[in-house]
Amino acid sequence: MTFDKDKILAMCNTMCKNTLMQTLNIEFIDAGEDFLVATMPVNPDVHQPMGLLHGGASVALAESVGSAASMLFVNPALSEIRGIEISANHLKAKREGIVTGTARIVHKGRSIHLWEIRITDEHDKLISLCKLTNMVLPKRKI
């Protein structure tokens, strides 16, 4: 199968409509054979009470980009992806601007995918480092 970055990004951004990803303004901006990148604005919509980027918003970005990345390795007509574990270390505070989540594959098995997601700011400073485990399941008939 030929890798088509524009088609992948369009598919990922279309999947965001009417979801948490749309609410958080997550946008997929780059893709490669073993990675996927998305951005999220940092503004009061994603702040915790102290005016900083909420750790849960960072985790939502990480899980969104990591789960979508797993879809690059499966046939969506036959398989579904489910996040089964996520962990995050929040390393730097952020009040405004843009954060970028880059998911890179660590392990690509038939039933388990392990991703490292680095969330960085506009200056490539590491904000959060996340690990996501996804399970590949047979598509359920609805």
Side-chain angles (χ1 to χ4, degrees), residues 30-76:
D30 197 10
E33 299 279 340
D34 64 347
F35 72 92
L36 187 61
V37 181
T39 60
M40 180 178 70
V42 180
N43 57 43
D45 291 341
V46 295
H47 282 169
Q48 41 93 310
M50 299 296 291
L52 301 170
L53 174 60
H54 193 294
S58 296
V59 170
L61 172 61
E63 185 154 1
S64 298
V65 71
S67 293
S70 276
M71 292 297 295
L72 303 178
F73 295 130
V74 301
N75 179 341

Side-chain angles (χ1 to χ4, degrees), residues 4-31 36-41 61 64-65 67-69 71-72 101:
D4 186 337
K5 180 170 107 171
D6 292 332
K7 185 177 177 181
I8 287 167
L9 294 175
M11 176 192 72
C12 290
N13 285 311
T14 298
M15 288 189 319
C16 291
K17 289 184 175 31
N18 301 313
T19 68
L20 178 65
M21 286 85 79
Q22 181 177 357
T23 301
L24 297 178
N25 293 305
I26 292 172
E27 180 183 4
F28 292 89
I29 62 163
D30 197 10
L36 187 61
V37 181
T39 60
M40 180 178 70
L61 172 61
S64 298
V65 71
S67 293
M71 292 297 295
L72 303 178

Side-chain angles (χ1 to χ4, degrees), residues 10-137:
M11 176 192 72
C12 290
N13 285 311
T14 298
M15 288 189 319
C16 291
K17 289 184 175 31
N18 301 313
T19 68
L20 178 65
M21 286 85 79
Q22 181 177 357
T23 301
L24 297 178
N25 293 305
I26 292 172
E27 180 183 4
F28 292 89
I29 62 163
D30 197 10
E33 299 279 340
D34 64 347
F35 72 92
L36 187 61
V37 181
T39 60
M40 180 178 70
V42 180
N43 57 43
D45 291 341
V46 295
H47 282 169
Q48 41 93 310
M50 299 296 291
L52 301 170
L53 174 60
H54 193 294
S58 296
V59 170
L61 172 61
E63 185 154 1
S64 298
V65 71
S67 293
S70 276
M71 292 297 295
L72 303 178
F73 295 130
V74 301
N75 179 341
L78 303 175
S79 300
E80 296 179 345
I81 300 299
R82 296 286 183 275
I84 59 173
E85 182 178 12
I86 190 162
S87 65
N89 293 98
H90 305 300
L91 305 170
K92 189 172 187 313
K94 182 88 174 136
R95 289 188 184 274
E96 60 186 19
I98 300 284
V99 288
T100 301
T102 302
R104 292 196 181 278
I105 192 75
V106 174
H107 171 76
K108 181 178 77 169
R110 283 176 292 153
S111 59
I112 297 288
H113 295 169
L114 177 63
W115 294 91
E116 177 186 76
I117 301 98
R118 297 176 63 85
I119 298 176
T120 57
D121 68 8
E122 303 90 338
H123 308 289
D124 206 31
K125 299 287 185 194
L126 188 60
I127 303 298
S128 296
L129 181 62
C130 306
K131 180 182 76 169
L132 173 66
T133 306
N134 290 327
M135 179 182 289
V136 180
L137 298 170

